[in-house]
């Protein structure tokens, strides 16, 4: 089973050309069918916790474009929500939570964690039975640091200053918070794999704002702990690390954390990406704005990635999520360009 799942094969180190392709945030507001289902669900969180509708929106980009991987539809913030932190998504403002103080760290409640997340596990099980055999199913979670930035500030912030301050003022509380998140998130990934996920991705979207010591303590150490825990149960399942904005810190991230594959943001130079391929698969890294612009900007971006990275293990992807204003025609154009590349 799974022999024909190209994304899975590449994540394990094989080279395929043309490379298999999926897009971060491929189920989302740029699709009219997503907006329609989202309306039916009520709130965004209702959609995340409704297996029938979450399955539907996960399948939408697969039906429309035939991507080689489907990613579970959920959000990274269901983990703190399942630990008892409040969470709501406000139209146009993104996630809102009650900001956390160091004392709140001890109050995180793990008792109902898996019960609260059981709709997500059901979504994964249902997806594996409904997806085409050859489509890789990806599970995911947020990395502890990125999840912590929202828990501490209570909302998205431009520079994650509240979380950086929290760590400097109370390093012990920060350590306990990240350890708790790492343990719970590892269990969360293990359950997703039990339910049928072929591989998993750990999103560290805000790792780019940290100084050297903080990057090691907040990004590398907790993800390394998660990888050890997941591997102890599922040694063969690839884990994609995505330390967005990591810059030169990408160079030893795979070795230090133990992740199988590296998700690259669009600022990573292709020469560096090529070197990173020496250690295993890379995924990325088209600038999502090239997809919005279309035309020559899109074609040149696609071609450059294929030319430099196409001869090694590559999962074609964006360097971050697709944005709501990206035209569907441009997604189709990108797919034709990648899949027609052998001609
Ligand atoms: O990739 C996929 O298609 C799977 C689904 C997915 C979502 N969020 C759905 C979503 C995934 C993998 C995520 C991860 C996520 N969520 C991250 C890490 C990746 C990244 O983008 O950096 C982060 C930081 C979050 C937190 C989050 N969720 C924010 C900041 C927002 C608001 C911003 C926005 O785009 O509105 C969300 C909401 C969200 N998560 C939406 C979707 C489709 C849009 C909400 C809506 O439909 O109203």
């Amino acid at each position: 089973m799974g022999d024909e799942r190209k994304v899975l094969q590449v994540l394990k180190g094989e080279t395929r050309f043309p490379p298999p392709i999926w897009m971060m945030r491929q189920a989302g507001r740029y699709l009219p069918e997503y907006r329609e289902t989202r309306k039916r669900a009520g709130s965004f969180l209702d959609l995340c916790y409704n297996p029938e509708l979450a399955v539907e929106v996960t399948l939408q980009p697969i039906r429309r474009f035939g991507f080689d991987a489907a990613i579970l539809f959920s959000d990274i913030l269901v983990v703190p929500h399942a630990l008892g932190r409040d969470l709501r998504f406000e139209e146009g403002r993104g996630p809102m939570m009650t900001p956390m103080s160091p004392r709140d760290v001890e109050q995180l409640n793990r008792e109902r964690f898996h019960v609260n997340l059981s709709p997500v596990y059901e979504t994964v099980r249902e997806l594996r039975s409904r997806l085409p055999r050859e489509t890789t199913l990806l599970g995911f979670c947020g990395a502890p640091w990125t999840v912590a930035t929202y828990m501490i500030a209570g909302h998205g912030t431009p520079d994650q200053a509240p979380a950086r301050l929290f760590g400097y003022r109370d390093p012990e509380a920060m350590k306990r918070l990240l350890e708790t998140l790492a343990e719970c998130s590892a269990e969360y990934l293990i359950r997703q794999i039990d339910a049928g996920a072929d591989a998993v991705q750990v999103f560290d979207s805000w790792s780019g704002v940290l100084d050297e010591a903080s990057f090691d303590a907040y990004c590398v150490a907790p993800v390394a702990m998660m990888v050890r825990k997941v591997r102890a149960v599922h040694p063969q399942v690839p884990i994609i690390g995505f330390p967005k904005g990591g810059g030169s810190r990408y160079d030893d991230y795979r070795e230090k954390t133990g992740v199988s594959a590296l998700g690259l943001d669009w600022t990573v130079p292709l020469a560096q990406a090529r070197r990173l391929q020496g250690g295993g698969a890379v995924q990325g890294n088209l600038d999502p704005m090239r997809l919005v612009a279309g035309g020559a900007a899109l074609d040149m971006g696609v071609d450059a990635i294929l030319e430099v990275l196409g001869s090694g293990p590559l999962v074609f992807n964006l360097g971050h999520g697709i944005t709501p204003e990206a035209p569907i025609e441009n997604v189709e154009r990108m797919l034709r360009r990648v899949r027609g590349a052998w001609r």
Side-chain angles (χ1 to χ4, degrees):
M1 234 190 41
D3 290 352
E4 275 315 306
R5 293 181 191 157
K6 297 189 199 108
V7 170
L8 182 58
Q9 291 170 344
V10 170
L11 293 175
K12 289 184 170 179
E14 284 180 37
T15 297
R16 307 272 316 213
F17 198 84
I21 174 169
W22 68 281
M23 281 192 318
M24 286 189 269
R25 287 279 176 98
Q26 64 190 16
R29 285 166 298 183
Y30 75 105
L31 287 177
E33 60 268 37
Y34 171 84
R35 296 196 297 270
E36 178 59 39
T37 312
R38 167 87 165 67
K39 235 189 295 170
R40 258 207 292 152
S43 75
F44 173 70
L45 269 184
D46 289 336
L47 178 54
C48 291
Y49 292 129
N50 181 325
E52 193 190 321
L53 297 183
V55 166
E56 166 58 25
V57 294
T58 306
L59 295 176
Q60 285 169 351
I62 308 303
R63 285 193 206 112
R64 187 189 268 268
F65 305 114
F67 284 121
D68 297 299
I71 183 160
L72 159 70
F73 188 85
S74 182
D75 196 83
I76 61 167
L77 299 179
V78 299
V79 164
H81 196 219
L83 290 170
R85 303 302 296 172
D86 68 326
L87 170 67
R88 52 195 196 286
F89 282 82
E90 289 183 7
E91 250 3 282
R93 291 184 65 192
M96 304 293 286
M97 309 179 79
T98 302
M100 220 178 151
S101 71
R103 267 174 307 153
D104 297 327
V105 175
E106 303 310 321
Q107 310 300 318
L108 293 172
N109 182 1
R110 295 167 66 157
E111 245 162 65
R112 295 185 54 79
F113 183 69
H114 292 298
V115 176
N116 292 340
L117 291 170
S118 58
V120 177
Y121 308 140
E122 194 183 327
T123 302
V124 175
R125 264 192 303 277
E126 184 64 20
L127 276 170
R128 192 58 281 174
S129 77
R130 302 261 305 269
L131 277 168
R133 227 185 144 65
E134 66 276 13
T135 310
T136 300
L137 176 56
L138 300 173
F140 76 91
C141 69
W145 161 248
T146 289
V147 172
T149 65
Y150 290 95
M151 297 171 80
I152 292 166
H155 50 83
T157 49
D159 52 7
Q160 293 72 53
R164 284 152 58 206
L165 267 177
F166 184 107
Y168 294 131
R169 287 181 174 152
D170 200 333
E172 268 311 305
M174 185 61 139
K175 187 157 185 271
R176 281 200 305 280
L177 174 56
L178 295 174
E179 273 173 10
T180 303
L181 288 172
E183 279 172 17
C184 294
S185 303
E187 286 180 19
Y188 180 48
L189 292 180
I190 289 167
R191 298 274 183 129
Q192 292 180 33
I193 297 165
D194 292 342
D198 296 306
V200 293
Q201 175 156 331
V202 180
F203 286 86
D204 217 345
S205 305
W206 302 126
S207 60
V209 299
L210 293 170
D211 69 19
E212 186 175 17
S214 304
F215 185 88
D216 286 341
Y218 302 167
C219 295
V220 172
V223 171
M225 176 181 174
M226 287 175 60
V227 171
R228 276 197 308 276
K229 284 185 179 295
V230 174
R231 286 270 156 74
V233 183
H234 293 292
Q236 306 299 332
V237 173
I239 302 170
I240 308 163
F242 179 51
K244 181 172 170 280
S248 62
R249 268 87 67 108
Y250 269 105
D251 291 342
D252 55 7
Y253 187 82
R254 193 192 317 251
E255 289 67 33
K256 284 184 166 171
T257 59
V259 298
S260 334
L262 292 172
L264 308 179
D265 69 74
W266 71 90
T267 70
V268 175
L270 291 177
Q272 183 189 6
R274 178 72 192 141
R275 285 196 302 278
L276 292 171
Q277 250 180 349
V282 297
Q283 172 178 283
N285 69 341
L286 188 77
D287 183 350
M289 288 306 119
R290 288 190 186 268
L291 202 56
V292 175
L298 176 56
D299 293 350
M300 285 167 62
V302 170
D303 292 355
I305 292 170
L306 293 176
E307 180 157 331
V308 180
L309 303 177
S311 55
L314 169 67
V315 175
F316 197 96
N317 204 314
L318 308 181
H320 196 200
I322 182 173
T323 55
E325 67 275 18
I328 286 170
E329 308 85 78
N330 290 351
V331 176
E332 289 163 348
R333 183 182 179 116
M334 172 185 73
L335 272 163
R336 278 198 307 274
R337 193 116 188 143
V338 172
R339 291 190 165 152
W342 52 275
R343 258 173 268 182

